[in-house]
Amino acid sequence: MIPLPLARVAEITSGALNGLADPAAVVRGPVVIDSRAVVPGSLFVAIKGERADGHDFARQAHEAGAVAVLATRPVDAPAVIVGDPQAALAALAHAVVTELPGATVVGVTGSAGKTTTKDLLAGLAARMGPTVAPVGSYNNEIGHPLTVLKADEGTRFLVLELSARNIGHIAYLAEIAPPRIGVVLNVGTAHLGVFGGKEAIARAKGELVEALPADGTAVLNADDPLVSEMAGRTKARVTWFGRSARAHVRAEDETLDEAGRASFTLRTPSGSAPVRLRLYGAHAVENALAAAAAAYELGMPVAAIAAELSAAEPRSRWRMEVTDRPDGVTVINDAYNANPDSMRAAFGSLGVIGAGRRRFAVIAALRELGEDGPALNEDLGRLAAGAGLEAVVVVGEDAEPVLKGAPGAIHVPDAAAAARELSDRLAPGDAVLVKGPRAAGLERVAEAILGGDAR
């Protein structure tokens, strides 16, 4: 981050230095919320969570090298006392990003594919200059400013992922680091119960394009009607990506290999180039096109875009991780999260990757779907039951609607039981999909199948 004396940190956050703090002491970063991540020069932000209170680790953070603690009460360490650590963190990030006139902020949102697209775009941007992007899904009110605070005077691109759990969330994140380019991938059914309908989800996702300046660019999915409508909600210029002919950046001559990896011709206004993705699933094409369109707007030549996309490996865990055991069992670990749209995509990938083989799936009931939850989970059961699988294992106590749709499925209480169930059934050459909502912890099933421990 940009080096800041504690006096300046206090000024930005409307905080007060306690008696132990030296106003001239300089915070050089990183800014962290985990005392175990502290290094000399850090600023430790004491967040009170459900299981732990960061204030209890203030002394430990200071002894590890933290210059000070951003806290709501005096602690046994130099501190900047603020009323709300989250608001203070946002103010600090906003102040830092406004001092980076040479950095271009790109925001990415959508119901599915945000993290993969962000990872691809970060790799593309890094070819053009120093780039900061979040690790994994650091996309909420805490992770977003922490990512912004990693930027310094040398940063040229800041690629950010923006998540919404309700109306106003993306607008809030966009105020912290105002984007010049905004990418909207899709409007799906994730968090349907929280928002109350896809139209409300579209309203929330569209807050990103509303935040763009008149000289900015909205990168929109030409194939999604609800995203297309967002063109009327922005002052910025619009560029389209997708598979349709009207997209400025589009895929042509698309094919899938036997492992479910896509190849296509990347078509742009200034030419075309072949792309052969190392990511799995046909849905990865949409993410690649979105990243390509944003990189094109940043000035990257189409040949360089295609080369980087073709070389890109998965960066974030538990998102279409495809691993082969020594005996030929293939495990598709897509357990980071799930919604009806991503479930359909995952089963499609299992059909391709597991073609001609015995196939299994471990799933769990989808959450945050509101009054549509029972019907959509029954649909999930029917999807699994109709996929021609050797067996479907459904994990969790809330599985009744899924089991109604898939009456032949095996019901188990937890990840450990699912792993035991599969261990007795798998044979060399089989393929297994592991997919469910994050709270189900199904990544432990994949780890156990691959030789770990699901307990």
Side-chain angles (χ1 to χ4, degrees), residues 168-345:
H169 284 186
I170 288 178
Y172 171 80
L173 298 178
E175 287 181 1
I176 293 173
R180 181 158 295 278
I181 296 177
V183 182
V184 185
L185 299 171
N186 44 54
V187 174
T189 49
H191 311 308
L192 187 63
V194 176
F195 286 97
K198 291 184 72 170
E199 290 73 17
I201 295 172
R203 179 182 166 195
K205 301 300 182 185
E207 291 170 1
L208 176 57
V209 300
E210 290 176 346
L212 296 171
D215 60 349
T217 304
V219 178
L220 303 180
N221 188 346
D223 302 328
D224 188 316
L226 289 175
V227 175
S228 294
E229 290 175 1
M230 295 178 192
R233 296 170 56 183
T234 183
K235 304 184 296 285
R237 181 173 58 84
V238 174
T239 190
W240 302 98
F241 72 89
R243 293 177 168 94
S244 67
R246 77 179 180 116
H248 301 110
V249 176
R250 61 186 183 272
E252 297 177 348
D253 306 320
E254 186 178 338
T255 61
L256 287 176
D257 68 13
E258 67 282 355
R261 294 167 298 200
S263 295
F264 59 92
T265 298
L266 176 65
R267 182 77 60 185
T268 74
S270 61
S272 62
V275 174
R276 185 172 183 176
L277 294 178
R278 299 187 182 187
L279 308 182
Y280 294 87
H283 57 286
V285 175
E286 177 182 288
N287 303 329
L289 290 173
Y296 184 80
E297 291 298 325
L298 291 173
M300 193 170 187
V302 61
I305 294 172
E308 175 60 29
L309 290 177
S310 298
E313 301 278 1
R315 293 190 179 192
S316 298
R317 299 182 67 191
W318 309 332
R319 294 168 176 85
M320 288 302 296
E321 288 183 353
V322 179
T323 307
D324 291 323
R325 289 195 330 196
D327 64 354
V329 169
T330 299
V331 179
I332 306 169
N333 183 356
D334 197 30
Y336 182 80
N337 216 335
N339 58 60
D341 303 312
S342 66
M343 275 291 191
R344 283 190 290 272

Side-chain angles (χ1 to χ4, degrees), residues 20-212:
L20 298 174
D22 176 5
V26 177
V27 175
R28 301 184 183 280
V31 180
V32 299
I33 59 172
D34 186 338
S35 60
R36 295 167 296 183
V38 168
V39 297
S42 291
L43 177 67
F44 175 61
V45 183
I47 301 290
K48 186 176 182 179
E50 294 181 1
R51 299 181 180 178
D53 186 345
H55 295 80
D56 297 335
F57 301 92
R59 182 173 180 176
Q60 177 181 326
H62 181 52
E63 290 175 348
V67 176
V69 178
L70 201 62
T72 59
R73 62 176 186 267
V75 292
D76 190 14
V80 179
I81 308 300
V82 297
D84 181 347
Q86 179 181 306
L89 191 59
L92 192 61
H94 180 73
V96 167
V97 81
T98 57
E99 295 185 23
L100 302 175
T104 299
V105 179
V106 184
V108 178
T109 195
S111 294
K114 292 186 296 295
T115 300
T116 299
T117 302
K118 173 266 300 178
D119 288 343
L120 289 171
L121 181 52
L124 289 163
R127 281 196 169 210
M128 296 181 284
T131 299
V132 170
V135 175
S137 294
Y138 253 37
N139 58 20
N140 61 14
E141 293 86 346
I142 301 296
H144 186 78
L146 287 175
T147 299
V148 172
L149 287 166
K150 293 181 179 180
D152 59 23
E153 297 92 337
T155 300
R156 186 175 172 194
F157 302 105
L158 194 53
V159 180
L160 302 173
E161 179 180 337
L162 290 79
S163 178
R165 291 296 301 274
N166 218 320
I167 301 296
H169 284 186
I170 288 178
Y172 171 80
L173 298 178
E175 287 181 1
I176 293 173
R180 181 158 295 278
I181 296 177
V183 182
V184 185
L185 299 171
N186 44 54
V187 174
T189 49
H191 311 308
L192 187 63
V194 176
F195 286 97
K198 291 184 72 170
E199 290 73 17
I201 295 172
R203 179 182 166 195
K205 301 300 182 185
E207 291 170 1
L208 176 57
V209 300
E210 290 176 346
L212 296 171

